[in-house]
Amino acid sequence: MTNSEWKASYQDNLLGVFGRPQACFTHGQGTRVWDTDGKEYLDLLGGIAVNALGYAHPEIVKTIHEQASRFTHVSNFFTTPQQVEAAQAVKKICAEGWGSGRQAEIVSQARVLFVNSGTEANEAALKMALAARPGGRAIALKGAFHGRTLGALSLTYKAPYREPFAPFVGPTEFVEASVAGIEAVDPEDVSAIFLEPLQGEAGVIPLVPEVVAAARQLADQTGALLIFDEVQTGMGRCGKWLAHQGICHDGKEIIPDVVTLAKGLGAGVPVGACVAMNLRAASALKPGSHGTTFGGNPLVTAVVARTISLMEELDLPTRAAKVGDAWMQEIADAQIPGVKATRGQGLLRGLVLEKNIAPQLAKALFKAGFIVNAPAANIIRLAPPLIIELEEVKTLIPALKEALAQVELDLEKGE
């Protein structure tokens, strides 16, 4: 069947919550994928920050094959070496970037719950906060995206995502991503404070340290848990294992109570993690107060452990910082008409356009063989595999110039 035929069959057989697919892919290798017509694409979105090691990485393929030959699932009445080893690896990367004393404290106190997605990780974090301080409300930032299930959706700002499904399980107050916005919060009855260190869905907007410090202060004042959603920003994507690591204000390290992970954590297999960073958070949920059938199964946790070890061997966080910085400098030097600025960290970047044409530009780039997306009307988001080479990402520049010119021409024609 052709690409068009597969897309038509999709419409007849799958629920249309994702809209009409742009293509039907058959396979990938490294940083590239191919559709059913044989067309090749450079993936500069990485499955939306998921395929950190690219497609069909031989070590991940080997790990999946070897683990599947043993077993893929056991119930959570039991554990497996794979589950324990993956948790140890996750705790280690969560402790990176701090002083040696704090690292040892985090490794000693942190506890990991494996789930199946970022949304589920945030659901678990919300329940953890409500268990630690019952009956309170949640605080989230304007522009926040924390997931689509009802608990996580209650923390997600965008009205079209939220409003059809209200009311939610508990009240959420959305505040400006500023010190003033956080300081204006009434401290009465606050259970959870959710932050993304860099807001991807809002347009790749980093939070400044002062905002993070204000959130930490509010959590300490109220007894709420401070939860960092690193689903998109974590796993080396922003040039560190986790985007918040090393953030200090007035000489003080700002460490959350809970971290949520997913996307790049499993390099393509469906897995998330809710990490309690201290004993108070770790003790909030008791036996029987939460659970998941498939969470932490041996197949995905074997992949998690191997993903982390590969990232360590290749030093991908450092590499993401170097390639990302060099790429953005190349774009700045190119002085591309229509591109006003760039922002972001590592290999999670946003191109800020002069006009609200990002959706049209994303389509034009896809037609030219580049996968990007438009989280906002004037933003192109870039989140390629962390293994990508600078020479590969530089090929976007001439394509970007041509696509921008074509979009402008189409607008002039009224198309």
Side-chain angles (χ1 to χ4, degrees):
M1 289 171 62
T2 67
N3 210 38
S4 295
E5 289 170 334
W6 278 114
K7 290 192 290 182
S9 184
Y10 177 100
Q11 298 290 101
D12 293 338
N13 291 286
L14 282 94
L15 194 65
V17 295
F18 300 110
R20 185 176 176 84
Q22 297 178 70
C24 179
F25 291 141
T26 60
H27 66 288
Q29 186 66 51
T31 58
R32 298 168 191 274
V33 289
W34 286 262
D35 68 20
T36 49
D37 291 342
K39 183 175 179 179
E40 178 182 325
Y41 302 83
L42 179 62
D43 188 357
L44 297 180
L45 192 59
I48 316 181
V50 170
N51 296 319
L53 297 171
Y55 294 88
H57 192 289
E59 286 298 316
I60 298 302
V61 172
K62 178 182 176 184
T63 297
I64 292 172
H65 180 267
E66 290 179 349
Q67 185 56 50
S69 70
R70 297 186 182 99
F71 51 35
T72 59
H73 177 78
V74 296
S75 83
N76 280 313
F77 293 129
F78 312 97
T79 191
T80 64
Q82 293 77 21
Q83 188 180 59
V84 175
E85 289 167 0
Q88 291 171 335
V90 168
K91 287 173 57 172
K92 180 182 175 185
I93 65 171
C94 285
E96 291 286 336
W98 310 109
S100 58
R102 296 307 297 270
Q103 287 188 34
E105 180 183 340
I106 291 168
V107 168
S108 170
Q109 296 189 11
R111 299 293 185 270
V112 181
L113 172 70
F114 287 113
V115 291
N116 306 291
S117 67
T119 290
E120 290 175 73
N122 285 328
E123 290 275 351
L126 181 58
K127 286 182 70 173
M128 193 179 289
L130 292 171
R133 195 173 191 278
R137 69 191 193 281
I139 306 299
L141 299 183
K142 292 182 178 180
F145 182 90
H146 295 292
R148 306 265 196 162
T149 52
L150 288 176
L153 188 59
S154 72
L155 307 163
T156 293
Y157 181 70
K158 196 172 182 179
Y161 294 166
R162 287 172 50 84
E163 290 179 354
F165 307 103
F168 299 105
V169 293
T172 298
E173 179 182 349
F174 291 100
V175 303
E176 295 289 344
S178 66
V179 173
I182 292 173
E183 289 181 344
V185 172
D186 183 346
E188 188 72 21
D189 295 329
V190 177
S191 290
I193 304 168
F194 275 80
L195 300 181
E196 299 160 273
L198 190 154
Q199 292 184 304
E201 293 296 322
V204 193
I205 303 172
L207 297 186
V208 298
E210 290 80 7
V211 171
V212 182
R216 179 70 270 175
Q217 184 175 354
L218 179 62
D220 293 340
Q221 177 186 359
T222 61
L225 293 187
L226 178 61
I227 299 157
F228 284 179
D229 179 340
E230 292 258 17
V231 167
Q232 185 169 167
T233 56
M235 299 310 298
R237 179 149 300 279
C238 291
K240 299 172 280 188
W241 279 108
L242 305 179
H244 75 270
Q245 286 171 334
I247 292 179
C248 296
H249 183 64
D250 289 340
K252 295 181 180 179
E253 297 174 332
I254 306 169
I255 299 177
D257 300 301
V258 183
V259 171
T260 58
L261 301 169
K263 290 191 180 284
L265 178 64
V269 301
V271 61
C274 178
V275 185
M277 298 282 280
N278 54 49
L279 292 179
R280 177 171 178 248
S283 63
L285 293 177
K286 308 300 182 185
S289 61
H290 195 57
T292 167
T293 295
F294 295 105
N297 73 67
L299 181 67
V300 299
T301 50
V303 174
V304 166
R306 188 63 183 116
T307 295
I308 292 173
S309 66
L310 275 171
M311 288 183 170
E312 289 175 329
E313 291 167 20
L314 299 171
D315 196 11
L316 289 188
T318 300
R319 195 170 180 280
K322 290 180 179 177
V323 173
D325 288 347
W327 188 14
M328 294 305 105
Q329 188 60 55
E330 292 277 351
I331 289 174
D333 292 344
Q335 297 183 337
I336 303 168
V339 177
K340 183 165 62 175
T342 65
R343 63 191 182 206
Q345 300 167 2
L347 285 173
L348 180 55
R349 300 285 181 158
L351 305 182
V352 184
L353 307 180
E354 292 176 353
K355 297 181 180 179
N356 291 338
I357 57 171
Q360 299 96 311
L361 181 57
K363 288 180 181 178
L365 286 168
F366 184 76
K367 191 174 180 180
F370 295 86
I371 302 174
V372 301
N373 92 311
N378 68 327
I379 303 294
I380 291 293
R381 175 169 49 181
L382 305 168
L386 305 187
I387 60 169
I388 203 161
E389 301 285 347
L390 180 59
E391 291 305 311
E392 289 182 287
V393 296
K394 284 167 60 175
T395 63
L396 176 68
I397 295 173
L400 185 59
K401 291 179 179 178
E402 187 174 335
L404 276 163
Q406 185 61 54
V407 169
E408 290 283 4
L409 184 60
D410 291 343
L411 289 173
E412 289 176 10
K413 292 178 179 178
E415 297 180 2

